[in-house]
Amino acid sequence: MKLITAIIKPFKADDVREALSELGVSGMTMTEVKGFGRQKGHTELYRGAEYVVDFLPKVKLEIAVSDELCDQAVDAICKSANSGQIGDGKIFVSSLEQTVRIRTGETDNDAL
């Protein structure tokens, strides 16, 4: 089992959700976050004063998938979150040792 963590632009979240649903991914967790990478933020004007916005709004998606579905899910996220602009995001894949569905007690792939 793998945990896919994707940091993407907020307006791409629905596209990613739809792409993953087509693969059969049944659930995910979405968190609104702020951050920066190479994009380094930008400057804005507010009431005539210029200020720097260092942390940009992003969405963090966490998706638990079986090993067999991992590569397809990563490809789907890449394709659907790509805008061709700087700041499209990153995807991190890590191993999951154990998964338990609290309601039924199912474990591992059955719990996904």
Side-chain angles (χ1 to χ4, degrees):
M1 296 174 302
K2 302 290 185 192
L3 176 65
I4 301 171
T5 304
I7 311 293
I8 62 171
K9 291 182 175 181
F11 66 89
K12 288 291 191 174
D14 284 336
D15 295 340
V16 171
R17 184 188 51 79
E18 289 173 15
L20 290 172
S21 292
E22 289 175 10
L23 285 179
V25 173
S26 59
M28 69 180 68
T29 301
M30 182 174 84
T31 311
E32 293 179 6
V33 295
K34 292 184 179 202
F36 71 92
R38 291 184 182 166
Q39 198 173 2
K40 302 283 192 246
H42 62 277
T43 59
E44 289 186 5
L45 278 175
Y46 180 71
R47 295 189 176 180
E50 188 173 314
Y51 65 99
V52 177
V53 178
D54 289 328
F55 291 94
L56 301 170
K58 302 286 182 181
V59 169
K60 179 168 109 174
L61 300 174
E62 294 174 300
I63 307 111
V65 296
S66 64
D67 290 333
E68 299 80 31
L69 194 57
C70 184
D71 290 337
Q72 294 173 336
V74 169
D75 288 341
I77 295 167
C78 283
K79 289 176 184 170
S80 57
N82 187 354
S83 70
Q85 303 295 317
I86 192 167
D88 276 347
K90 294 258 189 326
I91 299 172
F92 307 99
V93 179
S94 53
S95 295
L96 281 177
E97 290 187 27
Q98 184 179 18
T99 306
V100 178
R101 185 184 309 264
I102 294 172
R103 179 177 56 86
T104 62
E106 294 170 302
T107 59
D108 299 329
N109 281 331
D110 293 335
L112 297 179

